[in-house]
Amino acid sequence: MSTKFGRLVSLVCKRGFSISTSVQKGASEQGVKSLNLCSAINQALQIALDSDPRSYVFGEDVSFGGVFRCTAGLADQFGKKRVFNTPLCEQGIVGFGIGLAAMGNRAIAEIQFADYIFPAFDQIVNEAAKFRYRSGNQFNCGGLTIRTPYGAVGHGGHYHSQSPEAFFCHVPGIKVVIPRSPRQAKGLLLSCIRDPNPIVFFEPKWLYRLAVEEVPEDDYMLPLSEAEVIREGSDITLVGWGAQLSIMKEACLDAEKEGISCELIDLKTLIPWDKETVEASVNKTGRLLVSHEAPITGGFGAEVSASIVERCFSRLEAPVARVCGLDTPFPLVFEPFYMPTKNKILDAIKSTVKY
Amino acid sequence: MALSRVSSSSPSILLKPLSSYLSLRRRSVSSSSTDPLTVETSLPFTAHRCDEPSRAVETSAAELLSFFRDMALMRRMEIAADSLYKAKLIRGFCHLYDGQEAVAVGMEAAITRKDCIITAYRDHCTFLSRGGTLLEVFAELMGRRDGCSKGKGGSMHFYRKEGGFYGGHGIVGAQVPLGCGLAFAQKYCKDENVTFSLYGDGAANQGQLFEALNISALWDLPSILVCENNHYGMGTAEWRAAKSPAYYKRGDYVPGLKVDGMDALAVKQACKFAKEFALKNGPIILEMDTYRYHGHSMSDPGSTYRTRDEISGVRQERDPIERVRKLLLSHEISTEKELKDTEKEVRKEVDEAIAKAKESQMPDPSDLFKNVYVKGLGVEARGADRKEVIATLP
Ligand SMILES: Cc1ncc(C[n+]2csc(CCOP(=O)(O)OP(=O)(O)O)c2C)c(N)n1
Ligand SMILES: [Mg+2]
């Protein structure tokens, strides 16, 4: 099992898709196609099922395509023994996935919305994350990948909008990965499925149909725990992940009009995260802003901020800025107030640079 | 209510056979609308580890008329919500109850407001049956201040404390153990009230359900678990998700009763029976065999995982409103015209409520921070862009 994974992991390195922009040219054996994020996920799952007969996709309504259609067509192609519906029971779904993975399979579980992952929280935190450690490496559930859509969609209300990633970032033993775009989603999901550790993969549901980009059609993986500088700049470093990056990108453009040069980093993997890339950037710019949709208190932005203050204390020219969701339940009618919008980010950029 | 108007000679009455006209007159003169009337349920109850209640249900003309009116109102309300959603006046997730109305009205007819009801997100009609108003419904759906949760909950989170309605829960299955806690508190007070915890056939497969069953039975709680079996959990047919879709037997050691949930009188009889049973013996499961006409939520057309024939078959043969309409006609309590008039009235009521709800204000921005804790924590709020006010809250 571990050798199989080992081989696949080394494959990632050989292909060397460390910077997504280079993927397009380098890996176009079968060409590229314009895809939205949902189809990119679908393609990744299709490749995962196709390339490993011991991989399974399951969850509520997935054999019908799932509520977001990410698994459409997979049951037809691979049969109902490998792509199947589960009853409505998140705790059972994840527990089952851990057992399936412990037998050397790739268990790809879908939790319909990240808001519904909490019934499975115990299985993830107490069973999945610690299986390898507490069995002295006799057992593990490294083949487990939990996919789940997260984040705001404009009007989702309390239970279709939350960003619970920080809860999972407090759990050594699992990895947390969030893609920002279709091409990233496909490559990162394939890496997650083949990585020898249990992973929670949060999909920005806001971008399922909205984000469209050229995606290589072949089987490629993007490395985990490697952040990416997606925009270079000199005055301030902005760190984010997932859907929030598109908002941050707009703020960078507006800041540029006012003469501020922003460097934007996509963290991609939240644990274990790539501190070096962020550190190097902050050493260059001297300023840091982190932004996420989840409530500010105890959000992963706090961890990024603390770590960078430790590493770059003498280089920092202003306090680290955090532009995040507010400390309230995710609201229904107040969503625009709650969200870390472009203008809130822009204001924080300006006040940090002027500090 | 409509009885007094029967004698006015409307054309539709003149077209009817004389005998029925005469009997109508007779009834309106000689009998009161609250005189008891016995009606047999069209289907038998099926019991698990308990006796089944009698199929002969005691009712009255007044009750049947109120069933008709209330269900017609609910139906109209849900259809109006559908249009408002499509017009983007309702945001968020919205789950409609049309088809299942008999469960709400039948249950309410058997219990008092001191009994508690707790349910999932398909909660509009239960809220109404517990004494909520149309204005509160539409205002809440549109996120306005006059809504039952002050506009902060939306479709899935209706509550009415004074009506013993504990809501309105978004996480499938989570409300059922809560119901056990309510029932324990009731038992402790010794005031002979019970809790009805409603959940779906999909929810029946959550682990929490079995925890709740064991707790209820272990501590003899006056806890009635009501599985509203509409045969689908989203797109999944019950048999795809449950090894045993006989939900009334799923409690094993807990008695259960299967009920025709499209028959308001059968529901009433079952709930009356269950309340007495639970106060004496502890928990019981009621499986209400029902059907939702709409898709699961507004994004589900509801026709990909079931046939149109199936839906129209239920509408034609089992519709809860049509069943009561037939009873009202065959017992000569109302004329067709009167029932049509009632439907027109409720339509108007719904339209008026919507108009009023639209005038209701949005909640104040500062409400965003209210009720997170008992007191605010001095947080600063700001609008989506800098043009909006900055509010610092206590
Ligand atoms: C824990 C959890 N998982 C998944 C969901 C998404 N979801 C909402 S309703 C539903 C189906 C529930 O079906 P059922 O219990 O039969 O109730 P019905 O909708 O038919 O009234 C699902 C899967 C959720 N709200 N909560
Ligand atoms: Mg159901």
Side-chain angles (χ1 to χ4, degrees):
Chain A
M1 181 78 205
S2 61
T3 53
K4 209 185 338 164
F5 275 133
R7 187 173 57 78
L8 286 159
V9 169
S10 69
L11 228 132
V12 191
C13 307
K14 249 184 273 156
R15 296 190 183 188
F17 298 131
S18 60
I19 293 172
S20 66
T21 40
S22 70
V23 172
Q24 207 173 320
K25 286 171 221 131
S28 53
E29 291 152 36
Q30 298 169 30
V32 295
K33 210 178 192 174
S34 182
L35 291 184
N36 64 24
L37 200 141
C38 175
S39 308
I41 297 281
N42 185 274
Q43 228 179 57
L45 293 172
Q46 197 256 331
I47 290 170
L49 286 160
D50 198 38
S51 60
D52 185 349
R54 299 187 70 181
S55 48
Y56 301 85
V57 169
F58 51 92
E60 290 159 21
D61 282 358
V62 300
S63 85
F64 307 139
V67 291
F68 291 104
R69 316 294 311 146
C70 291
T71 53
L74 298 176
D76 289 339
Q77 198 180 342
F78 298 98
K80 295 211 184 273
K81 295 224 162 76
R82 294 183 62 207
V83 179
F84 49 91
N85 289 342
T86 62
L88 209 174
C89 53
E90 290 75 12
Q91 187 173 19
I93 292 170
V94 172
F96 166 85
I98 294 170
L100 184 63
M103 295 288 275
N105 301 291
R106 287 182 218 287
I108 309 165
E110 175 177 302
I111 298 293
Q112 198 171 67
F113 282 82
D115 310 68
Y116 309 146
I117 205 166
F118 298 110
F121 198 51
D122 175 63
Q123 286 289 347
I124 297 170
V125 174
N126 284 330
E127 300 304 323
K130 305 171 180 36
F131 205 2
R132 187 189 299 278
Y133 190 80
R134 70 171 129 81
S135 68
N137 207 23
Q138 289 179 76
F139 289 106
N140 71 80
C141 57
L144 174 68
T145 304
I146 301 165
R147 301 175 37 242
T148 188
Y150 85 96
V153 281
H155 63 282
H158 312 295
Y159 296 121
H160 294 92
S161 309
Q162 297 176 77
S163 299
E165 70 274 5
F167 290 108
F168 300 89
C169 293
H170 204 54
V171 187
I174 56 171
K175 294 187 179 182
V176 174
V177 177
I178 310 182
R180 71 169 186 274
S181 73
R183 192 192 303 143
Q184 292 288 315
K186 180 176 171 184
L188 288 171
L189 181 54
L190 278 165
S191 294
C192 290
I193 292 169
R194 292 159 178 174
D195 187 271
N197 298 285
I199 296 183
V200 186
F201 186 77
F202 289 100
E203 299 170 3
K205 62 177 174 287
W206 194 21
L207 303 183
Y208 271 147
R209 324 244 156 239
L210 222 57
V212 178
E213 83 183 327
E214 302 279 291
V215 178
E217 290 209 277
D218 61 351
D219 182 351
Y220 68 95
M221 295 192 280
L222 298 174
L224 303 184
S225 294
E226 259 184 43
E228 180 186 341
V229 178
I230 52 178
R231 184 194 152 93
E232 291 196 6
S234 53
D235 296 330
I236 181 168
T237 301
L238 273 63
V239 173
W241 48 87
Q244 188 59 10
L245 286 163
S246 58
I247 311 291
M248 298 169 79
K249 220 181 265 175
E250 286 174 31
C252 291
L253 292 175
D254 280 9
E256 192 171 37
K257 287 180 206 143
E258 306 195 23
I260 302 171
S261 160
C262 302
E263 181 144 307
L264 182 58
I265 297 181
D266 177 4
L267 215 49
K268 299 190 208 183
T269 303
L270 270 57
I271 49 164
W273 63 290
D274 177 2
K275 292 182 187 148
E276 288 68 30
T277 299
V278 180
E279 181 184 355
S281 172
V282 175
N283 276 334
K284 181 174 77 176
T285 62
R287 297 175 189 91
L288 174 66
L289 178 152
V290 197
S291 180
H292 54 69
E293 266 176 49
I296 185 164
T297 301
F300 196 66
E303 180 59 36
V304 174
S305 166
S307 299
I308 294 306
V309 170
E310 278 167 9
R311 289 174 174 234
C312 311
F313 183 69
S314 54
R315 178 67 190 92
L316 281 171
E317 288 170 36
V320 178
R322 286 182 293 157
V323 184
C324 305
L326 303 173
D327 285 334
T328 70
F330 196 100
L332 178 59
V333 287
F334 297 119
E335 182 169 327
F337 285 85
Y338 172 94
M339 295 293 281
T341 52
K342 181 189 76 174
N343 282 336
K344 290 185 191 174
I345 297 170
L346 185 59
D347 282 355
I349 291 173
K350 288 198 280 192
S351 58
T352 304
V353 169
K354 270 194 225 123
Y355 183 83
Chain B
M1 39 144 261
L3 284 174
S4 55
R5 264 182 280 127
V6 169
S7 47
S8 74
S9 55
S10 71
S12 80
I13 285 179
L14 292 176
L15 290 174
K16 285 185 138 258
L18 196 62
S19 62
S20 83
Y21 179 56
L22 284 178
S23 76
L24 270 168
R25 282 195 65 105
R26 222 179 13 246
R27 187 177 286 278
S28 66
V29 176
S30 67
S31 69
S32 141
S33 67
T34 49
D35 283 355
L37 186 72
T38 304
V39 177
E40 181 109 340
T41 64
S42 38
L43 292 173
F45 298 101
T46 320
H48 166 70
R49 287 183 181 239
C50 65
D51 298 329
E52 60 252 36
S54 160
R55 285 178 66 179
V57 189
E58 211 171 90
T59 178
S60 65
E63 183 174 74
L64 289 175
L65 283 166
S66 74
F67 282 0
F68 182 83
R69 188 172 212 289
D70 291 349
M71 290 197 287
L73 187 70
M74 290 172 179
R75 178 76 50 96
R76 186 63 215 159
M77 176 180 87
E78 294 297 64
I79 289 166
D82 182 65
S83 316
L84 289 171
Y85 196 93
K86 286 176 181 142
K88 290 198 188 305
L89 283 159
I90 298 175
R91 310 308 306 273
F93 281 65
C94 181
H95 308 78
L96 303 178
Y97 199 70
D98 49 324
Q100 302 182 210
E101 299 93 341
V103 179
V105 301
M107 183 176 295
E108 194 60 38
I111 62 176
T112 76
R113 297 264 158 85
K114 289 216 164 109
D115 295 307
C116 302
I117 298 183
I118 187 165
T119 188
Y121 41 82
R122 207 176 292 285
D123 59 358
H124 309 165
C125 295
T126 316
F127 171 77
L128 216 57
S129 73
R130 297 256 83 186
T133 66
L134 283 172
L135 174 63
E136 289 171 298
V137 168
F138 286 113
E140 190 58 42
L141 286 173
M142 294 193 267
R144 310 296 170 105
R145 228 176 257 194
D146 295 328
C148 54
S149 305
K150 302 196 177 79
K152 288 173 83 169
S155 164
M156 310 209 301
H157 308 287
F158 284 20
Y159 302 86
R160 189 164 196 274
K161 196 171 182 196
E162 62 275 32
F165 183 46
Y166 285 76
H169 296 257
I171 300 302
V172 170
Q175 74 278 12
V176 186
L178 268 64
C180 298
L182 302 178
F184 184 92
Q186 286 173 321
K187 182 176 167 133
Y188 205 83
C189 294
K190 295 203 174 70
D191 50 7
E192 304 282 288
N193 298 316
V194 300
T195 294
F196 289 80
S197 305
L198 278 63
Y199 58 96
D201 49 297
N205 301 313
Q206 281 278 21
Q208 302 202 48
L209 255 294
F210 298 88
E211 300 176 24
L213 273 166
N214 184 46
I215 284 180
S216 299
L218 193 64
W219 299 332
D220 286 329
L221 302 180
S223 160
I224 297 159
L225 279 74
V226 184
C227 178
E228 286 190 90
N229 182 5
N230 58 17
H231 305 278
Y232 296 91
M234 282 191 157
T236 305
E238 54 178 351
W239 58 271
R240 291 182 194 271
K243 182 68 188 172
S244 162
Y247 299 100
Y248 69 108
K249 291 188 192 165
R250 290 284 281 279
D252 182 14
Y253 45 84
V254 174
L257 195 64
K258 185 169 175 177
V259 184
D260 177 5
M262 302 298 267
D263 178 351
L265 289 171
V267 173
K268 176 183 132 178
Q269 188 81 333
C271 291
K272 199 165 148 257
F273 171 84
K275 180 172 173 179
E276 285 162 18
F277 183 95
L279 286 171
K280 242 189 267 155
N281 312 298
I284 178 168
I285 298 180
L286 298 178
E287 177 184 345
M288 302 291 181
D289 181 354
T290 183
Y291 200 80
R292 73 165 147 73
Y293 292 155
H294 262 93
H296 168 75
S297 68
M298 300 313 300
S299 53
D300 168 22
S303 52
T304 51
Y305 46 84
R306 54 183 189 179
T307 62
R308 293 204 184 274
D309 284 353
E310 178 183 305
I311 307 170
S312 61
V314 176
R315 276 187 188 275
Q316 269 162 30
E317 283 153 34
R318 300 181 58 210
D319 186 84
I321 301 179
E322 292 314 307
R323 187 188 298 252
V324 175
R325 189 198 305 272
K326 273 187 213 136
L327 279 175
L328 286 166
L329 295 174
S330 67
H331 286 83
E332 298 176 340
I333 296 165
S334 308
T335 64
E336 293 201 23
K337 163 139 195 332
E338 286 168 336
L339 297 181
K340 285 253 146 52
D341 287 346
T342 303
E343 287 173 307
K344 268 187 217 148
E345 276 165 36
V346 303
R347 213 189 171 97
K348 202 166 145 241
E349 261 181 65
V350 166
D351 291 345
E352 282 166 6
I354 293 173
K356 223 166 152 202
K358 281 181 182 165
E359 282 166 23
S360 174
Q361 302 251 309
M362 296 298 277
D364 191 81
S366 67
D367 268 6
L368 168 58
F369 295 98
K370 272 198 201 130
N371 312 126
V372 180
Y373 297 101
V374 175
K375 271 176 76 180
L377 290 177
V379 223
E380 188 181 84
R382 184 169 50 176
D385 63 49
R386 288 153 297 176
K387 280 171 224 121
E388 290 178 64
V389 226
I390 293 178
T392 308
L393 292 136

